[in-house]
PDB file of all heavy atoms in Angstrom:
ATOM      1  N   GLY B  42     120.128 220.485  92.164  1.00 93.00           N
ATOM      2  CA  GLY B  42     118.811 219.859  92.111  1.00 93.00           C
ATOM      3  C   GLY B  42     118.900 218.358  92.354  1.00 93.00           C
ATOM      4  O   GLY B  42     119.762 217.887  93.092  1.00 93.00           O
ATOM      5  N   LEU B  43     118.025 217.626  91.713  1.00 96.00           N
ATOM      6  CA  LEU B  43     117.958 216.176  91.885  1.00 96.00           C
ATOM      7  C   LEU B  43     118.768 215.501  90.792  1.00 96.00           C
ATOM      8  O   LEU B  43     118.511 215.684  89.609  1.00 96.00           O
ATOM      9  CB  LEU B  43     116.506 215.704  91.797  1.00 96.00           C
ATOM     10  CG  LEU B  43     115.678 215.926  93.044  1.00 96.00           C
ATOM     11  CD1 LEU B  43     114.216 216.133  92.693  1.00 96.00           C
ATOM     12  CD2 LEU B  43     115.824 214.733  93.977  1.00 96.00           C
ATOM     13  N   GLN B  44     119.753 214.712  91.211  1.00 95.00           N
ATOM     14  CA  GLN B  44     120.611 214.031  90.246  1.00 95.00           C
ATOM     15  C   GLN B  44     120.667 212.541  90.540  1.00 95.00           C
ATOM     16  O   GLN B  44     120.790 212.130  91.700  1.00 95.00           O
ATOM     17  CB  GLN B  44     122.021 214.625  90.298  1.00 95.00           C
ATOM     18  CG  GLN B  44     122.092 216.065  89.823  1.00 95.00           C
ATOM     19  CD  GLN B  44     123.523 216.531  89.685  1.00 95.00           C
ATOM     20  OE1 GLN B  44     124.250 216.655  90.668  1.00 95.00           O
ATOM     21  NE2 GLN B  44     123.951 216.755  88.467  1.00 95.00           N
ATOM     22  N   PHE B  45     120.632 211.761  89.490  1.00 95.00           N
ATOM     23  CA  PHE B  45     120.656 210.307  89.583  1.00 95.00           C
ATOM     24  C   PHE B  45     122.050 209.820  89.952  1.00 95.00           C
ATOM     25  O   PHE B  45     123.045 210.241  89.347  1.00 95.00           O
ATOM     26  CB  PHE B  45     120.233 209.729  88.232  1.00 95.00           C
ATOM     27  CG  PHE B  45     120.398 208.251  88.097  1.00 95.00           C
ATOM     28  CD1 PHE B  45     119.467 207.388  88.655  1.00 95.00           C
ATOM     29  CD2 PHE B  45     121.477 207.716  87.414  1.00 95.00           C
ATOM     30  CE1 PHE B  45     119.614 206.016  88.527  1.00 95.00           C
ATOM     31  CE2 PHE B  45     121.630 206.355  87.277  1.00 95.00           C
ATOM     32  CZ  PHE B  45     120.693 205.509  87.832  1.00 95.00           C
ATOM     33  N   LEU B  46     122.097 208.945  90.960  1.00 96.00           N
ATOM     34  CA  LEU B  46     123.370 208.364  91.384  1.00 96.00           C
ATOM     35  C   LEU B  46     123.585 206.982  90.771  1.00 96.00           C
ATOM     36  O   LEU B  46     124.541 206.753  90.045  1.00 96.00           O
ATOM     37  CB  LEU B  46     123.411 208.245  92.911  1.00 96.00           C
ATOM     38  CG  LEU B  46     123.810 209.498  93.671  1.00 96.00           C
ATOM     39  CD1 LEU B  46     123.314 209.428  95.111  1.00 96.00           C
ATOM     40  CD2 LEU B  46     125.319 209.672  93.642  1.00 96.00           C
ATOM     41  N   PHE B  47     122.732 206.041  91.129  1.00 93.00           N
ATOM     42  CA  PHE B  47     122.813 204.691  90.553  1.00 93.00           C
ATOM     43  C   PHE B  47     121.518 203.931  90.801  1.00 93.00           C
ATOM     44  O   PHE B  47     120.666 204.352  91.574  1.00 93.00           O
ATOM     45  CB  PHE B  47     124.006 203.859  91.070  1.00 93.00           C
ATOM     46  CG  PHE B  47     124.536 204.240  92.425  1.00 93.00           C
ATOM     47  CD1 PHE B  47     123.766 204.092  93.565  1.00 93.00           C
ATOM     48  CD2 PHE B  47     125.824 204.717  92.557  1.00 93.00           C
ATOM     49  CE1 PHE B  47     124.262 204.433  94.803  1.00 93.00           C
ATOM     50  CE2 PHE B  47     126.336 205.055  93.802  1.00 93.00           C
ATOM     51  CZ  PHE B  47     125.553 204.915  94.924  1.00 93.00           C
ATOM     52  N   GLU B  48     121.436 202.785  90.124  1.00 92.00           N
ATOM     53  CA  GLU B  48     120.242 201.948  90.200  1.00 92.00           C
ATOM     54  C   GLU B  48     120.660 200.493  90.310  1.00 92.00           C
ATOM     55  O   GLU B  48     121.601 200.050  89.637  1.00 92.00           O
ATOM     56  CB  GLU B  48     119.378 202.154  88.958  1.00 92.00           C
ATOM     57  CG  GLU B  48     118.067 201.375  88.986  1.00 92.00           C
ATOM     58  CD  GLU B  48     117.986 200.319  87.912  1.00 92.00           C
ATOM     59  OE1 GLU B  48     118.816 200.335  86.992  1.00 92.00           O
ATOM     60  OE2 GLU B  48     117.078 199.462  87.990  1.00 92.00           O
ATOM     61  N   TYR B  49     119.958 199.778  91.174  1.00 94.00           N
ATOM     62  CA  TYR B  49     120.247 198.364  91.401  1.00 94.00           C
ATOM     63  C   TYR B  49     119.016 197.516  91.146  1.00 94.00           C
ATOM     64  O   TYR B  49     117.883 197.927  91.431  1.00 94.00           O
ATOM     65  CB  TYR B  49     120.709 198.147  92.850  1.00 94.00           C
ATOM     66  CG  TYR B  49     122.084 198.675  93.110  1.00 94.00           C
ATOM     67  CD1 TYR B  49     122.272 200.003  93.484  1.00 94.00           C
ATOM     68  CD2 TYR B  49     123.203 197.865  92.949  1.00 94.00           C
ATOM     69  CE1 TYR B  49     123.543 200.493  93.698  1.00 94.00           C
ATOM     70  CE2 TYR B  49     124.471 198.353  93.162  1.00 94.00           C
ATOM     71  CZ  TYR B  49     124.635 199.673  93.535  1.00 94.00           C
ATOM     72  OH  TYR B  49     125.892 200.159  93.744  1.00 94.00           O
ATOM     73  N   PHE B  50     119.289 196.348  90.626  1.00 91.00           N
ATOM     74  CA  PHE B  50     118.230 195.360  90.436  1.00 91.00           C
ATOM     75  C   PHE B  50     118.850 193.987  90.604  1.00 91.00           C
ATOM     76  O   PHE B  50     119.899 193.708  90.004  1.00 91.00           O
ATOM     77  CB  PHE B  50     117.591 195.500  89.055  1.00 91.00           C
ATOM     78  CG  PHE B  50     116.518 194.501  88.777  1.00 91.00           C
ATOM     79  CD1 PHE B  50     115.246 194.680  89.294  1.00 91.00           C
ATOM     80  CD2 PHE B  50     116.778 193.374  88.018  1.00 91.00           C
ATOM     81  CE1 PHE B  50     114.241 193.756  89.057  1.00 91.00           C
ATOM     82  CE2 PHE B  50     115.789 192.446  87.771  1.00 91.00           C
ATOM     83  CZ  PHE B  50     114.512 192.639  88.287  1.00 91.00           C
ATOM     84  N   SER B  51     118.217 193.145  91.405  1.00 90.00           N
ATOM     85  CA  SER B  51     118.730 191.791  91.657  1.00 90.00           C
ATOM     86  C   SER B  51     120.202 191.807  92.031  1.00 90.00           C
ATOM     87  O   SER B  51     121.018 191.058  91.452  1.00 90.00           O
ATOM     88  CB  SER B  51     118.510 190.899  90.431  1.00 90.00           C
ATOM     89  OG  SER B  51     117.144 190.626  90.262  1.00 90.00           O
ATOM     90  N   GLU B  52     120.546 192.657  92.955  1.00 93.00           N
ATOM     91  CA  GLU B  52     121.890 192.740  93.533  1.00 93.00           C
ATOM     92  C   GLU B  52     122.947 193.237  92.551  1.00 93.00           C
ATOM     93  O   GLU B  52     124.151 193.173  92.852  1.00 93.00           O
ATOM     94  CB  GLU B  52     122.305 191.389  94.126  1.00 93.00           C
ATOM     95  CG  GLU B  52     121.348 190.874  95.194  1.00 93.00           C
ATOM     96  CD  GLU B  52     121.733 189.502  95.709  1.00 93.00           C
ATOM     97  OE1 GLU B  52     122.818 189.381  96.315  1.00 93.00           O
ATOM     98  OE2 GLU B  52     120.957 188.548  95.488  1.00 93.00           O
ATOM     99  N   THR B  53     122.520 193.729  91.410  1.00 93.00           N
ATOM    100  CA  THR B  53     123.464 194.200  90.396  1.00 93.00           C
ATOM    101  C   THR B  53     123.260 195.683  90.122  1.00 93.00           C
ATOM    102  O   THR B  53     122.121 196.128  89.968  1.00 93.00           O
ATOM    103  CB  THR B  53     123.277 193.407  89.081  1.00 93.00           C
ATOM    104  OG1 THR B  53     123.490 192.028  89.341  1.00 93.00           O
ATOM    105  CG2 THR B  53     124.254 193.893  88.015  1.00 93.00           C
ATOM    106  N   GLN B  54     124.368 196.404  90.059  1.00 92.00           N
ATOM    107  CA  GLN B  54     124.257 197.806  89.659  1.00 92.00           C
ATOM    108  C   GLN B  54     124.109 197.848  88.153  1.00 92.00           C
ATOM    109  O   GLN B  54     125.024 197.477  87.413  1.00 92.00           O
ATOM    110  CB  GLN B  54     125.495 198.591  90.077  1.00 92.00           C
ATOM    111  CG  GLN B  54     125.371 200.079  89.758  1.00 92.00           C
ATOM    112  CD  GLN B  54     126.656 200.856  90.052  1.00 92.00           C
ATOM    113  OE1 GLN B  54     127.503 201.052  89.188  1.00 92.00           O
ATOM    114  NE2 GLN B  54     126.798 201.265  91.295  1.00 92.00           N
ATOM    115  N   ARG B  55     122.980 198.334  87.706  1.00 88.00           N
ATOM    116  CA  ARG B  55     122.731 198.322  86.271  1.00 88.00           C
ATOM    117  C   ARG B  55     123.077 199.652  85.622  1.00 88.00           C
ATOM    118  O   ARG B  55     123.422 199.699  84.442  1.00 88.00           O
ATOM    119  CB  ARG B  55     121.280 197.975  85.983  1.00 88.00           C
ATOM    120  CG  ARG B  55     120.891 196.587  86.466  1.00 88.00           C
ATOM    121  CD  ARG B  55     119.563 196.187  85.885  1.00 88.00           C
ATOM    122  NE  ARG B  55     118.548 197.176  86.210  1.00 88.00           N
ATOM    123  CZ  ARG B  55     117.345 197.180  85.668  1.00 88.00           C
ATOM    124  NH1 ARG B  55     117.019 196.284  84.765  1.00 88.00           N
ATOM    125  NH2 ARG B  55     116.461 198.094  86.027  1.00 88.00           N
ATOM    126  N   ASN B  56     122.938 200.713  86.383  1.00 88.00           N
ATOM    127  CA  ASN B  56     123.172 202.035  85.822  1.00 88.00           C
ATOM    128  C   ASN B  56     123.813 202.938  86.854  1.00 88.00           C
ATOM    129  O   ASN B  56     123.553 202.808  88.050  1.00 88.00           O
ATOM    130  CB  ASN B  56     121.856 202.657  85.359  1.00 88.00           C
ATOM    131  CG  ASN B  56     121.181 201.838  84.291  1.00 88.00           C
ATOM    132  OD1 ASN B  56     121.635 201.800  83.152  1.00 88.00           O
ATOM    133  ND2 ASN B  56     120.107 201.160  84.643  1.00 88.00           N
ATOM    134  N   LYS B  57     124.637 203.853  86.374  1.00 92.00           N
ATOM    135  CA  LYS B  57     125.336 204.760  87.282  1.00 92.00           C
ATOM    136  C   LYS B  57     125.337 206.155  86.683  1.00 92.00           C
ATOM    137  O   LYS B  57     125.523 206.323  85.473  1.00 92.00           O
ATOM    138  CB  LYS B  57     126.779 204.287  87.486  1.00 92.00           C
ATOM    139  CG  LYS B  57     127.561 205.090  88.517  1.00 92.00           C
ATOM    140  CD  LYS B  57     128.887 204.410  88.809  1.00 92.00           C
ATOM    141  CE  LYS B  57     129.871 205.303  89.549  1.00 92.00           C
ATOM    142  NZ  LYS B  57     129.376 205.832  90.817  1.00 92.00           N
ATOM    143  N   GLY B  58     125.114 207.142  87.529  1.00 93.00           N
ATOM    144  CA  GLY B  58     125.146 208.525  87.088  1.00 93.00           C
ATOM    145  C   GLY B  58     126.559 209.062  87.063  1.00 93.00           C
ATOM    146  O   GLY B  58     127.535 208.338  87.287  1.00 93.00           O
ATOM    147  N   ASN B  59     126.674 210.333  86.819  1.00 93.00           N
ATOM    148  CA  ASN B  59     127.966 210.974  86.652  1.00 93.00           C
ATOM    149  C   ASN B  59     128.506 211.461  87.996  1.00 93.00           C
ATOM    150  O   ASN B  59     128.563 212.665  88.262  1.00 93.00           O
ATOM    151  CB  ASN B  59     127.831 212.145  85.669  1.00 93.00           C
ATOM    152  CG  ASN B  59     129.173 212.703  85.285  1.00 93.00           C
ATOM    153  OD1 ASN B  59     130.187 212.022  85.375  1.00 93.00           O
ATOM    154  ND2 ASN B  59     129.188 213.963  84.885  1.00 93.00           N
ATOM    155  N   PHE B  60     128.892 210.529  88.818  1.00 96.00           N
ATOM    156  CA  PHE B  60     129.457 210.832  90.130  1.00 96.00           C
ATOM    157  C   PHE B  60     130.809 210.127  90.257  1.00 96.00           C
ATOM    158  O   PHE B  60     131.033 209.087  89.635  1.00 96.00           O
ATOM    159  CB  PHE B  60     128.516 210.356  91.249  1.00 96.00           C
ATOM    160  CG  PHE B  60     127.382 211.307  91.515  1.00 96.00           C
ATOM    161  CD1 PHE B  60     126.249 211.287  90.722  1.00 96.00           C
ATOM    162  CD2 PHE B  60     127.468 212.224  92.543  1.00 96.00           C
ATOM    163  CE1 PHE B  60     125.209 212.165  90.950  1.00 96.00           C
ATOM    164  CE2 PHE B  60     126.420 213.105  92.793  1.00 96.00           C
ATOM    165  CZ  PHE B  60     125.293 213.080  91.991  1.00 96.00           C
ATOM    166  N   PRO B  61     131.700 210.693  91.083  1.00 96.00           N
ATOM    167  CA  PRO B  61     133.029 210.063  91.225  1.00 96.00           C
ATOM    168  C   PRO B  61     132.941 208.708  91.909  1.00 96.00           C
ATOM    169  O   PRO B  61     131.933 208.342  92.516  1.00 96.00           O
ATOM    170  CB  PRO B  61     133.808 211.070  92.082  1.00 96.00           C
ATOM    171  CG  PRO B  61     132.776 211.904  92.747  1.00 96.00           C
ATOM    172  CD  PRO B  61     131.593 211.948  91.844  1.00 96.00           C
ATOM    173  N   GLY B  62     134.024 207.973  91.818  1.00 95.00           N
ATOM    174  CA  GLY B  62     134.074 206.630  92.367  1.00 95.00           C
ATOM    175  C   GLY B  62     133.942 206.563  93.875  1.00 95.00           C
ATOM    176  O   GLY B  62     133.767 205.477  94.438  1.00 95.00           O
TER     177      GLY B  62
END
Side-chain angles (χ1 to χ4, degrees):
Chain B
L43 282 150
Q44 293 189 293
F45 171 79
L46 277 158
F47 25 65
E48 183 245 347
Y49 288 87
F50 179 79
S51 290
E52 302 177 64
T53 301
Q54 184 185 93
R55 298 193 304 170
N56 299 288
K57 185 171 166 57
N59 189 23
F60 279 82

